[in-house]
Amino acid sequence: MTRCALCDRIDTSSEYRCTCGGPLQLDHFKGSIKEGGNVWSAYRDFFPYNLSKEDSLGEGNTPLIRAKRLSTKFGINLYLKNETVNPTWSFKDRGTIFGIKRALELGYKRIGTVSTGNMAASVACYGAYHGSRILVLVPTDIHEDKIGQISIYGPEIIGVEGDYGELYYESLDMDDIYFINSDNPYRIEGYKSMAFEIASDIDASHVIIPTSSGGLFRGIVKGYEELFQNHILSDLPKFIAVQAAGCSPIHRAFEEGEPVKRWGPPHTIAKAISNPFPPSGDAVLRKLKELKGTCAAVNDHGIIEAQKNIARDGIYCQPASAVGVAALPQLINDMGQGSKVVSLITGSGMKVEGRSTKVNTVTMSDLREKI
Ligand SMILES: *Cc1c(COP(=O)(O)O)cnc(C)c1O
Ligand SMILES: [Zn+2]
């Protein structure tokens, strides 16, 4: 059953979004942890599909590393969840796998995504692996370098002129293509696996989440909530959403106590988290309020510094993944000595380089004919 993450209405008329505009999500799961195996089998009661060996490219089940130098520096126990070791080098794979399962279950021949980076690479990779035709919609001003990793998997890539935020909504009306976008309900289900892994490793007091569209934040929180509701955990950690100051619509709305409004053109090196109009923004705000979480924004200088420090604790991550550590100086006073803090290291620093390719471009109104 799907329910709106904003207004709680049960809605079966759409796959993706409620009539109120909020994102739909599957109801909370009931179950228990099974013995042995990896996260996908041990927590299978909590996922919409059982994964077989053939479904998997080895996503998830990533290491949680204690950051020695950073822990000493801040006087806390800081753990880094190393998502750079996923098949396409970001956590997006955890959600893509269920998005693909859903598309195949519904009988779609074509699968699409609206993304400029990690999600596009992930959907293109898993789509190729499962033999689906993949369509990736990107903005026309995308740098050729960014298409390198996406194009190697062989999807159709189309650059679309016009407002990129609008393209997300435009894509959801394309009936013959299943879109696995940033907050697709099945994508969110896959992200819960990260919460399950962390909770089975340590009793975290705080979980810090780099936030753009809000899909990752929602997945982590939903995973923890399901553990709590099923009496597997007796309390929840504090959830902290972090954005880049140069594109921080959720942070601004949190500070002002208003709904999320569109941000202007993003100005940050943290490109992977620069969605100026996050489709799950209000759903994130709702959870932050309900669970007394907090929201921070960090500038590029701090992000670069944090990226270096994370590397010296063993992980080369992309700038977007460093925002959690970059926010520690502003968060530390409220954390208390010896807190067990987890920062999600969402994607690899090796991401930017790659094979270049030319992209076909169309106007948004011509898009339907083109595909
Ligand atoms: C997608 C992404 C995020 C944020 O995820 P959202 O679901 O869009 O909030 C954070 N870091 C990296 C590296 C990403 O690719
Ligand atoms: Zn709704």
Side-chain angles (χ1 to χ4, degrees):
M1 188 122 80
T2 53
R3 192 184 289 275
C4 177
L6 264 192
C7 75
D8 289 330
R9 202 165 13 200
I10 292 169
D11 191 327
T12 47
S13 62
S14 158
E15 174 75 5
Y16 314 104
R17 302 204 71 94
C18 175
T19 43
C20 85
L24 294 178
Q25 68 178 19
L26 303 196
D27 267 344
H28 286 72
F29 285 67
K30 291 191 176 64
S32 59
I33 305 172
K34 305 292 180 268
E35 280 301 309
N38 63 28
V39 71
W40 307 109
S41 54
Y43 290 81
R44 62 179 176 271
D45 285 0
F46 302 93
F47 293 124
Y49 300 102
N50 282 330
L51 297 180
S52 70
K53 271 218 156 59
E54 291 72 44
D55 291 323
S56 171
L57 288 168
E59 54 293 314
N61 302 290
T62 60
L64 186 70
I65 312 280
R66 186 166 185 280
K68 287 191 203 144
R69 296 167 50 122
L70 283 163
S71 291
T72 307
K73 180 177 156 92
F74 288 104
I76 54 173
N77 290 300
L78 178 69
Y79 296 86
L80 305 174
K81 183 66 172 161
N82 184 3
E83 291 299 304
T84 74
V85 297
N86 275 290
T88 70
W89 309 303
S90 88
F91 73 92
K92 293 290 194 304
D93 296 338
R94 295 177 183 263
T96 301
I97 192 161
F98 284 134
I100 299 266
K101 290 288 277 184
R102 175 64 173 170
L104 297 177
E105 178 189 62
L106 296 176
Y108 281 89
K109 300 274 180 301
R110 301 183 70 185
I111 294 171
T113 192
V114 175
S115 166
T116 59
N118 292 339
M119 187 163 54
S122 181
V123 172
C125 173
Y126 279 77
Y129 179 67
H130 287 275
S132 300
R133 226 177 117 194
I134 300 295
L135 172 68
V136 177
L137 302 179
V138 299
T140 49
D141 59 0
I142 187 171
H143 195 275
E144 282 186 20
D145 278 353
K146 285 195 82 177
I147 312 170
Q149 191 200 354
I150 304 172
S151 66
I152 192 77
Y153 302 114
E156 185 179 357
I157 305 175
I158 300 183
V160 187
E161 288 171 6
D163 185 292
Y164 197 61
E166 211 174 288
L167 187 56
Y168 167 97
Y169 292 96
E170 184 77 18
S171 74
L172 302 185
D173 289 335
M174 294 177 187
D175 290 337
D176 50 340
I177 304 176
Y178 190 80
F179 269 85
I180 310 175
N181 288 343
S182 53
D183 61 352
N184 172 293
Y186 288 82
R187 171 173 291 291
I188 305 291
E189 291 303 311
Y191 291 168
K192 294 188 315 193
S193 59
M194 224 186 296
F196 300 158
E197 288 172 27
I198 297 167
S200 72
D201 278 349
I202 62 160
D203 184 14
S205 57
H206 301 77
V207 179
I208 312 181
I209 306 159
T211 301
S212 182
S213 74
L216 174 60
F217 182 94
R218 287 181 45 219
I220 299 291
V221 172
K222 187 167 189 273
Y224 265 105
E225 283 178 333
E226 290 179 8
L227 296 180
F228 180 72
Q229 287 159 3
N230 287 281
H231 311 290
I232 294 164
L233 283 185
S234 54
D235 48 13
L236 294 175
K238 283 255 171 277
F239 299 106
I240 303 164
V242 184
Q243 298 208 284
C247 182
S248 45
I250 298 176
H251 176 255
R252 179 177 65 190
F254 180 82
E255 292 290 310
E256 293 174 352
E258 300 266 327
V260 173
K261 288 189 295 284
R262 183 184 295 271
W263 192 265
H267 292 290
T268 172
I269 52 160
K271 301 269 185 265
I273 52 165
S274 59
N275 188 329
F277 195 41
S280 275
D282 287 330
V284 168
L285 286 179
R286 182 184 183 199
K287 278 294 157 195
L288 285 174
K289 238 182 243 158
E290 182 188 322
L291 302 174
K292 301 194 168 46
T294 191
C295 190
V298 290
N299 64 30
D300 280 6
H301 175 75
I303 292 173
I304 293 166
E305 212 37 49
Q307 187 190 27
K308 281 186 204 153
N309 284 326
I310 292 165
R312 285 157 207 188
D313 264 326
I315 305 171
Y316 179 27
C317 69
Q318 60 189 115
S321 307
V323 295
V325 169
L328 282 175
Q330 23 171 328
L331 299 170
I332 199 74
N333 275 343
D334 291 336
M335 282 179 167
Q337 288 281 319
S339 298
K340 287 186 185 165
V341 182
V342 178
S343 194
L344 305 184
I345 306 302
T346 46
S348 168
M350 299 299 283
K351 274 281 185 180
V352 273
E353 281 101 17
R355 205 167 61 97
S356 289
T357 193
K358 283 265 175 278
V359 172
N360 293 325
T361 349
V362 298
T363 61
M364 208 177 297
S365 47
D366 289 343
L367 178 59
R368 276 165 192 282
E369 287 154 48
K370 187 74 205 250
I371 55 179

PDB file of all heavy atoms in Angstrom, residues 90-92 118 182 191 210-217 272-273 318 320-321 346-347, ligand 1:
ATOM      1  N   SER A  90      28.463   4.778  -5.616  1.00  0.00           N
ATOM      2  CA  SER A  90      27.657   5.610  -4.720  1.00  0.00           C
ATOM      3  C   SER A  90      26.528   4.753  -4.159  1.00  0.00           C
ATOM      4  O   SER A  90      26.215   3.678  -4.688  1.00  0.00           O
ATOM      5  CB  SER A  90      27.089   6.836  -5.430  1.00  0.00           C
ATOM      6  OG  SER A  90      25.836   6.532  -6.030  1.00  0.00           O
ATOM      7  N   PHE A  91      25.889   5.249  -3.091  1.00  0.00           N
ATOM      8  CA  PHE A  91      24.795   4.516  -2.445  1.00  0.00           C
ATOM      9  C   PHE A  91      23.577   4.376  -3.337  1.00  0.00           C
ATOM     10  O   PHE A  91      22.662   3.613  -3.021  1.00  0.00           O
ATOM     11  CB  PHE A  91      24.371   5.243  -1.155  1.00  0.00           C
ATOM     12  CG  PHE A  91      23.614   6.515  -1.448  1.00  0.00           C
ATOM     13  CD1 PHE A  91      22.224   6.496  -1.533  1.00  0.00           C
ATOM     14  CD2 PHE A  91      24.273   7.696  -1.685  1.00  0.00           C
ATOM     15  CE1 PHE A  91      21.509   7.647  -1.845  1.00  0.00           C
ATOM     16  CE2 PHE A  91      23.569   8.851  -2.003  1.00  0.00           C
ATOM     17  CZ  PHE A  91      22.191   8.826  -2.087  1.00  0.00           C
ATOM     18  N   LYS A  92      23.521   5.119  -4.453  1.00  0.00           N
ATOM     19  CA  LYS A  92      22.332   5.087  -5.320  1.00  0.00           C
ATOM     20  C   LYS A  92      21.978   3.646  -5.728  1.00  0.00           C
ATOM     21  O   LYS A  92      20.823   3.326  -5.935  1.00  0.00           O
ATOM     22  CB  LYS A  92      22.559   5.949  -6.574  1.00  0.00           C
ATOM     23  CG  LYS A  92      22.685   7.454  -6.323  1.00  0.00           C
ATOM     24  CD  LYS A  92      21.381   8.080  -5.914  1.00  0.00           C
ATOM     25  CE  LYS A  92      21.337   9.604  -5.972  1.00  0.00           C
ATOM     26  NZ  LYS A  92      22.332  10.336  -5.224  1.00  0.00           N
ATOM     27  N   ASN A 118      25.294  10.584 -10.304  1.00  0.00           N
ATOM     28  CA  ASN A 118      25.385   9.255  -9.711  1.00  0.00           C
ATOM     29  C   ASN A 118      24.164   8.391  -9.979  1.00  0.00           C
ATOM     30  O   ASN A 118      24.285   7.196 -10.205  1.00  0.00           O
ATOM     31  CB  ASN A 118      25.595   9.385  -8.204  1.00  0.00           C
ATOM     32  CG  ASN A 118      26.956   9.955  -7.887  1.00  0.00           C
ATOM     33  OD1 ASN A 118      27.857   9.895  -8.717  1.00  0.00           O
ATOM     34  ND2 ASN A 118      27.115  10.516  -6.702  1.00  0.00           N
ATOM     35  N   SER A 182      14.875  10.402  -8.091  1.00  0.00           N
ATOM     36  CA  SER A 182      15.540  10.525  -6.787  1.00  0.00           C
ATOM     37  C   SER A 182      14.713  10.054  -5.601  1.00  0.00           C
ATOM     38  O   SER A 182      15.262   9.575  -4.622  1.00  0.00           O
ATOM     39  CB  SER A 182      15.942  11.975  -6.565  1.00  0.00           C
ATOM     40  OG  SER A 182      14.809  12.814  -6.750  1.00  0.00           O
ATOM     41  N   TYR A 191      17.149   2.287   0.177  1.00  0.00           N
ATOM     42  CA  TYR A 191      18.028   3.094   1.035  1.00  0.00           C
ATOM     43  C   TYR A 191      17.925   2.684   2.509  1.00  0.00           C
ATOM     44  O   TYR A 191      18.838   2.931   3.291  1.00  0.00           O
ATOM     45  CB  TYR A 191      17.690   4.582   0.909  1.00  0.00           C
ATOM     46  CG  TYR A 191      18.028   5.215  -0.439  1.00  0.00           C
ATOM     47  CD1 TYR A 191      17.532   6.484  -0.763  1.00  0.00           C
ATOM     48  CD2 TYR A 191      18.835   4.574  -1.359  1.00  0.00           C
ATOM     49  CE1 TYR A 191      17.833   7.090  -1.979  1.00  0.00           C
ATOM     50  CE2 TYR A 191      19.131   5.170  -2.581  1.00  0.00           C
ATOM     51  CZ  TYR A 191      18.620   6.432  -2.887  1.00  0.00           C
ATOM     52  OH  TYR A 191      18.916   7.029  -4.083  1.00  0.00           O
ATOM     53  N   PRO A 210      23.997  13.771   3.976  1.00  0.00           N
ATOM     54  CA  PRO A 210      24.060  14.757   2.889  1.00  0.00           C
ATOM     55  C   PRO A 210      22.727  14.744   2.138  1.00  0.00           C
ATOM     56  O   PRO A 210      22.227  13.676   1.785  1.00  0.00           O
ATOM     57  CB  PRO A 210      25.187  14.232   1.986  1.00  0.00           C
ATOM     58  CG  PRO A 210      26.004  13.334   2.851  1.00  0.00           C
ATOM     59  CD  PRO A 210      25.027  12.725   3.828  1.00  0.00           C
ATOM     60  N   THR A 211      22.138  15.907   1.930  1.00  0.00           N
ATOM     61  CA  THR A 211      20.756  15.943   1.443  1.00  0.00           C
ATOM     62  C   THR A 211      20.588  16.860   0.248  1.00  0.00           C
ATOM     63  O   THR A 211      20.994  18.022   0.279  1.00  0.00           O
ATOM     64  CB  THR A 211      19.819  16.380   2.589  1.00  0.00           C
ATOM     65  OG1 THR A 211      19.951  15.439   3.660  1.00  0.00           O
ATOM     66  CG2 THR A 211      18.368  16.413   2.136  1.00  0.00           C
ATOM     67  N   SER A 212      19.962  16.305  -0.797  1.00  0.00           N
ATOM     68  CA  SER A 212      19.688  17.084  -2.002  1.00  0.00           C
ATOM     69  C   SER A 212      18.191  17.013  -2.307  1.00  0.00           C
ATOM     70  O   SER A 212      17.417  17.882  -1.911  1.00  0.00           O
ATOM     71  CB  SER A 212      20.522  16.532  -3.152  1.00  0.00           C
ATOM     72  OG  SER A 212      20.336  17.275  -4.317  1.00  0.00           O
ATOM     73  N   SER A 213      17.749  15.962  -2.993  1.00  0.00           N
ATOM     74  CA  SER A 213      16.318  15.789  -3.260  1.00  0.00           C
ATOM     75  C   SER A 213      15.556  15.389  -1.999  1.00  0.00           C
ATOM     76  O   SER A 213      14.352  15.587  -1.910  1.00  0.00           O
ATOM     77  CB  SER A 213      16.114  14.717  -4.322  1.00  0.00           C
ATOM     78  OG  SER A 213      16.360  13.450  -3.754  1.00  0.00           O
ATOM     79  N   GLY A 214      16.255  14.763  -1.067  1.00  0.00           N
ATOM     80  CA  GLY A 214      15.640  14.310   0.177  1.00  0.00           C
ATOM     81  C   GLY A 214      15.328  12.815   0.203  1.00  0.00           C
ATOM     82  O   GLY A 214      14.909  12.284   1.226  1.00  0.00           O
ATOM     83  N   GLY A 215      15.561  12.134  -0.893  1.00  0.00           N
ATOM     84  CA  GLY A 215      15.265  10.697  -0.958  1.00  0.00           C
ATOM     85  C   GLY A 215      16.108   9.891   0.024  1.00  0.00           C
ATOM     86  O   GLY A 215      15.591   9.020   0.729  1.00  0.00           O
ATOM     87  N   LEU A 216      17.388  10.169   0.075  1.00  0.00           N
ATOM     88  CA  LEU A 216      18.275   9.436   0.982  1.00  0.00           C
ATOM     89  C   LEU A 216      17.847   9.647   2.438  1.00  0.00           C
ATOM     90  O   LEU A 216      17.730   8.689   3.205  1.00  0.00           O
ATOM     91  CB  LEU A 216      19.729   9.888   0.788  1.00  0.00           C
ATOM     92  CG  LEU A 216      20.735   9.304   1.782  1.00  0.00           C
ATOM     93  CD1 LEU A 216      20.781   7.783   1.718  1.00  0.00           C
ATOM     94  CD2 LEU A 216      22.127   9.887   1.550  1.00  0.00           C
ATOM     95  N   PHE A 217      17.611  10.885   2.804  1.00  0.00           N
ATOM     96  CA  PHE A 217      17.185  11.192   4.176  1.00  0.00           C
ATOM     97  C   PHE A 217      15.934  10.393   4.531  1.00  0.00           C
ATOM     98  O   PHE A 217      15.862   9.750   5.578  1.00  0.00           O
ATOM     99  CB  PHE A 217      16.922  12.698   4.313  1.00  0.00           C
ATOM    100  CG  PHE A 217      16.523  13.113   5.703  1.00  0.00           C
ATOM    101  CD1 PHE A 217      17.480  13.553   6.601  1.00  0.00           C
ATOM    102  CD2 PHE A 217      15.195  13.048   6.111  1.00  0.00           C
ATOM    103  CE1 PHE A 217      17.115  13.927   7.893  1.00  0.00           C
ATOM    104  CE2 PHE A 217      14.823  13.405   7.392  1.00  0.00           C
ATOM    105  CZ  PHE A 217      15.787  13.856   8.286  1.00  0.00           C
ATOM    106  N   ALA A 272      26.713  16.897  -6.676  1.00  0.00           N
ATOM    107  CA  ALA A 272      25.804  15.754  -6.522  1.00  0.00           C
ATOM    108  C   ALA A 272      24.665  16.046  -5.547  1.00  0.00           C
ATOM    109  O   ALA A 272      23.713  15.277  -5.451  1.00  0.00           O
ATOM    110  CB  ALA A 272      26.577  14.516  -6.067  1.00  0.00           C
ATOM    111  N   ILE A 273      24.761  17.159  -4.810  1.00  0.00           N
ATOM    112  CA  ILE A 273      23.650  17.506  -3.910  1.00  0.00           C
ATOM    113  C   ILE A 273      23.137  18.912  -4.209  1.00  0.00           C
ATOM    114  O   ILE A 273      22.816  19.675  -3.311  1.00  0.00           O
ATOM    115  CB  ILE A 273      24.034  17.377  -2.414  1.00  0.00           C
ATOM    116  CG1 ILE A 273      25.310  18.149  -2.093  1.00  0.00           C
ATOM    117  CG2 ILE A 273      24.194  15.910  -2.039  1.00  0.00           C
ATOM    118  CD1 ILE A 273      25.516  18.336  -0.590  1.00  0.00           C
ATOM    119  N   GLN A 318      33.644  12.189  -2.852  1.00  0.00           N
ATOM    120  CA  GLN A 318      33.381  13.388  -3.642  1.00  0.00           C
ATOM    121  C   GLN A 318      32.955  14.523  -2.709  1.00  0.00           C
ATOM    122  O   GLN A 318      32.559  14.276  -1.565  1.00  0.00           O
ATOM    123  CB  GLN A 318      32.361  13.097  -4.735  1.00  0.00           C
ATOM    124  CG  GLN A 318      31.013  12.620  -4.284  1.00  0.00           C
ATOM    125  CD  GLN A 318      30.194  12.155  -5.504  1.00  0.00           C
ATOM    126  OE1 GLN A 318      29.866  10.988  -5.628  1.00  0.00           O
ATOM    127  NE2 GLN A 318      29.879  13.073  -6.383  1.00  0.00           N
ATOM    128  N   ALA A 320      30.333  16.328  -2.374  1.00  0.00           N
ATOM    129  CA  ALA A 320      28.980  16.207  -1.803  1.00  0.00           C
ATOM    130  C   ALA A 320      28.957  15.319  -0.569  1.00  0.00           C
ATOM    131  O   ALA A 320      28.147  15.518   0.339  1.00  0.00           O
ATOM    132  CB  ALA A 320      28.016  15.655  -2.854  1.00  0.00           C
ATOM    133  N   SER A 321      29.852  14.335  -0.543  1.00  0.00           N
ATOM    134  CA  SER A 321      29.863  13.375   0.557  1.00  0.00           C
ATOM    135  C   SER A 321      30.585  13.907   1.790  1.00  0.00           C
ATOM    136  O   SER A 321      30.516  13.304   2.858  1.00  0.00           O
ATOM    137  CB  SER A 321      30.546  12.083   0.111  1.00  0.00           C
ATOM    138  OG  SER A 321      29.972  11.606  -1.074  1.00  0.00           O
ATOM    139  N   THR A 346      28.729   9.266   0.879  1.00  0.00           N
ATOM    140  CA  THR A 346      27.758   8.794  -0.109  1.00  0.00           C
ATOM    141  C   THR A 346      28.329   8.356  -1.461  1.00  0.00           C
ATOM    142  O   THR A 346      27.732   7.538  -2.151  1.00  0.00           O
ATOM    143  CB  THR A 346      26.704   9.884  -0.333  1.00  0.00           C
ATOM    144  OG1 THR A 346      27.403  11.144  -0.491  1.00  0.00           O
ATOM    145  CG2 THR A 346      25.752  10.001   0.842  1.00  0.00           C
ATOM    146  N   GLY A 347      29.471   8.949  -1.885  1.00  0.00           N
ATOM    147  CA  GLY A 347      29.992   8.601  -3.214  1.00  0.00           C
ATOM    148  C   GLY A 347      31.490   8.848  -3.337  1.00  0.00           C
ATOM    149  O   GLY A 347      32.094   9.605  -2.576  1.00  0.00           O
TER     150      GLY A 347
HETATM  151  C1  LIG B   1      22.244  11.544  -4.553  1.00  0.00           C
HETATM  152  C2  LIG B   1      23.341  11.912  -3.653  1.00  0.00           C
HETATM  153  C3  LIG B   1      23.124  12.497  -2.385  1.00  0.00           C
HETATM  154  C4  LIG B   1      21.786  12.957  -1.870  1.00  0.00           C
HETATM  155  O1  LIG B   1      20.705  12.128  -2.077  1.00  0.00           O
HETATM  156  P1  LIG B   1      19.240  12.700  -2.239  1.00  0.00           P
HETATM  157  O2  LIG B   1      18.392  11.494  -2.186  1.00  0.00           O
HETATM  158  O3  LIG B   1      19.149  13.415  -3.555  1.00  0.00           O
HETATM  159  O4  LIG B   1      18.964  13.642  -1.108  1.00  0.00           O
HETATM  160  C5  LIG B   1      24.222  12.704  -1.567  1.00  0.00           C
HETATM  161  N1  LIG B   1      25.478  12.416  -1.984  1.00  0.00           N
HETATM  162  C6  LIG B   1      25.720  11.883  -3.199  1.00  0.00           C
HETATM  163  C7  LIG B   1      27.135  11.597  -3.587  1.00  0.00           C
HETATM  164  C8  LIG B   1      24.677  11.612  -4.068  1.00  0.00           C
HETATM  165  O5  LIG B   1      24.938  11.082  -5.271  1.00  0.00           O
END
